[in-house]
Amino acid sequence: MAAASVSLKSSLFLSSPLSDFGGAAISISAQNRRRSWQPRGARMQVAAAADSKNILIMGGTRFIGLFLSRKLVQEGHQVTLFTRGKAPITQQLPGESDAEYAEFSSKVLHLKGDRKDFDFVKTSLSAKGFNVVYDINGREATEVSPILEALPNLEQFIYCSSAGVYLKSDLLPHFETDAVDPKSRHKGKLETESLLETSGVNWTSIRPVYIYGPLNYNPVEEWFFHRLKAGRPIPIPNAGNQITQLGHVKDLATAFIKVLGNPKASKQVYNISGSKYVTFDGLARACAKAGGFPEPEIIHYNPKDFDFGKKKAFPFRDQHFFASVEKASKDLGVTPEYDLLDGLTDSYNLDFGRGTFRKEADFTTDDMILGKKLVSV
């Protein structure tokens, strides 16, 4: 197919204004980066420093929280995870030794409860006197108010929002000052940001674009890896030149660390993602290269020709969607460690390539698309 025949190096990535990478070049191997990010025993034995914080993470047992909690513990902070206790409080990361995992687990505390039980939240949190709250799983402003009431002396509230709050626009990339969509499915996060802005608390809000990496519970890279492993064509809506943006979970965790106690981050919103943009077709080719698969066959289709019911035929919104990370770079010194190809390789090697994934492959919509294409031919 014409879209699939363009060379990887020339068309895989599109540079953002801050890009330091050229084409698909990789300057640091995925293996070396994995080593640098694994919590080494020596690093885990950090004595509590004078600026050590008593930190609460709302959530923290999945994906982002797994990497963030390790970074915080490495830096000598006391970390408590607030969860319902339905999932294991900690889990061993791919590539993490038993000793490293045991060391980390011994340093993490757990507060069991339902964040929607507002009376419990206020009572339990006020008794603990946390300095900082990272809210990773908050979706509604009503879930945040009790936390602020319980901790009137809170030093910082750091919120995980979403770049999905922006109003669709012909002018891209999205900047933090761009118009937002009060009807978006992330309107609860918008309302939370508004609450924080008027609350008087010192807050910072992070707006990731698409997040990827090991243990991702959203079918982002996994969707492509399933099809590549099965040797199937990859169906991509419309022309496949829609531009999007992905950020590695470990880079996101680092950004969350950089706002902690940073006066420049006070009462600020930051877009966080990779420093390159990529087309849908380019992403398919990058996933193939990351997993060591042959060049994929890409099939383009018009979504309007199909009734997929409630099934989702493609894991990304069918539009251009990317954001500027210039503000985070300037204020926080955030520079992504992972370019897209290296990050996808890291994700594949530490997760899907080991035979682990979150969702079983479902090719129902693919077969509908391919069936129609075969008939039309």
Side-chain angles (χ1 to χ4, degrees):
M1 304 197 65
S5 64
V6 183
S7 71
L8 175 70
K9 188 170 182 179
S10 64
S11 67
L12 191 58
F13 306 110
L14 293 104
S15 299
S16 77
L18 295 179
S19 173
D20 293 326
F21 304 105
I26 303 175
S27 59
I28 304 175
S29 73
Q31 183 178 9
N32 288 338
R33 279 184 174 152
R34 287 202 301 278
R35 288 200 191 103
S36 68
W37 231 93
Q38 287 178 0
R40 308 307 302 172
R43 295 182 65 197
M44 293 296 294
Q45 297 171 3
V46 178
D51 60 349
S52 175
K53 302 296 183 183
N54 184 11
I55 296 177
L56 175 69
I57 300 181
M58 300 299 292
T61 58
R62 297 198 302 172
F63 200 32
I64 302 170
L66 294 172
F67 295 97
L68 173 60
S69 58
R70 276 165 173 77
K71 291 284 285 185
L72 290 169
V73 168
Q74 287 171 16
E75 297 202 351
H77 301 295
Q78 177 59 68
V79 176
T80 300
L81 308 182
F82 185 106
T83 80
R84 292 175 294 175
K86 294 185 176 182
I89 306 311
T90 61
Q91 65 172 289
Q92 193 166 1
L93 293 178
E96 186 177 40
S97 73
D98 292 343
E100 290 165 348
Y101 174 59
E103 179 73 11
F104 166 74
S105 299
S106 70
K107 295 180 179 293
V108 175
L109 302 179
H110 180 231
L111 183 56
K112 182 179 179 179
D114 186 341
R115 70 177 297 161
K116 294 183 179 180
D117 184 345
F118 300 150
D119 289 337
F120 174 79
V121 168
K122 285 187 279 189
T123 301
S124 60
L125 268 56
S126 60
K128 300 293 183 180
F130 296 104
N131 305 127
V132 177
V133 172
Y134 279 92
D135 193 349
I136 302 301
N137 63 6
R139 295 183 178 276
E140 304 294 338
T142 53
E143 300 171 355
V144 173
S145 292
I147 301 173
L148 301 181
E149 291 178 33
L151 300 169
N153 298 317
L154 191 65
E155 295 177 16
Q156 192 174 12
F157 189 99
I158 302 170
Y159 185 59
C160 186
S161 184
S162 170
V165 301
Y166 291 114
L167 187 67
K168 187 175 180 180
S169 173
D170 293 328
L171 300 176
L172 294 169
H174 288 295
F175 287 88
E176 290 85 350
T177 54
D178 282 1
V180 293
D181 183 2
K183 296 181 180 179
S184 82
R185 68 184 187 90
H186 298 289
K187 65 179 181 180
K189 290 187 177 292
L190 268 182
E191 292 166 355
T192 300
E193 289 181 349
S194 296
L195 170 67
L196 293 172
E197 193 169 2
T198 58
S199 67
V201 71
N202 177 29
W203 61 274
T204 307
S205 184
I206 301 294
R207 293 176 178 173
V209 189
Y210 288 110
I211 312 167
Y212 74 108
L215 306 177
N216 192 357
Y217 55 81
N218 284 321
V220 178
E221 67 269 44
E222 180 182 290
W223 186 91
F224 292 92
F225 290 151
H226 270 308
R227 284 150 182 79
L228 290 163
K229 183 180 179 181
R232 296 176 62 96
I234 298 181
I236 293 180
N238 294 308
N241 58 3
Q242 303 91 314
I243 301 170
T244 192
Q245 183 182 25
L246 290 81
H248 198 284
V249 63
K250 297 174 188 177
D251 286 331
L252 177 58
T254 298
F256 270 117
I257 294 293
K258 284 185 175 290
V259 303
L260 177 60
N262 190 333
K264 291 184 178 180
S266 179
K267 300 182 179 181
Q268 297 296 316
V269 173
Y270 292 101
N271 297 328
I272 298 293
S273 193
S275 55
K276 290 260 187 178
Y277 311 139
V278 64
T279 64
F280 289 167
D281 282 2
L283 179 55
R285 290 192 286 271
C287 285
K289 191 169 183 66
F293 297 103
E295 180 87 359
E297 178 186 1
I298 296 175
I299 301 294
H300 294 135
Y301 66 95
N302 185 347
K304 294 180 180 179
D305 292 340
F306 301 90
D307 180 6
F308 297 122
K310 294 184 178 181
K311 287 186 175 293
K312 194 172 182 179
F314 192 68
F316 293 83
R317 56 180 70 189
D318 184 14
Q319 64 182 71
H320 296 309
F321 179 55
F322 51 100
S324 169
V325 295
E326 181 177 359
K327 181 180 177 183
S329 177
K330 180 180 178 182
D331 287 4
L332 310 174
V334 170
T335 301
E337 178 186 0
Y338 289 85
D339 69 19
L340 181 61
L341 188 55
D342 202 11
L344 288 170
T345 302
D346 176 75
S347 180
Y348 185 85
N349 289 343
L350 294 181
D351 199 357
F352 195 90
R354 296 183 174 211
T356 56
F357 45 83
R358 313 293 87 74
K359 295 183 179 180
E360 294 287 343
D362 181 354
F363 303 129
T364 305
T365 56
D366 298 46
D367 290 340
M368 293 172 63
I369 295 164
L370 295 174
K372 185 176 179 63
K373 285 287 183 180
L374 290 172
V375 170
S376 63
V377 172

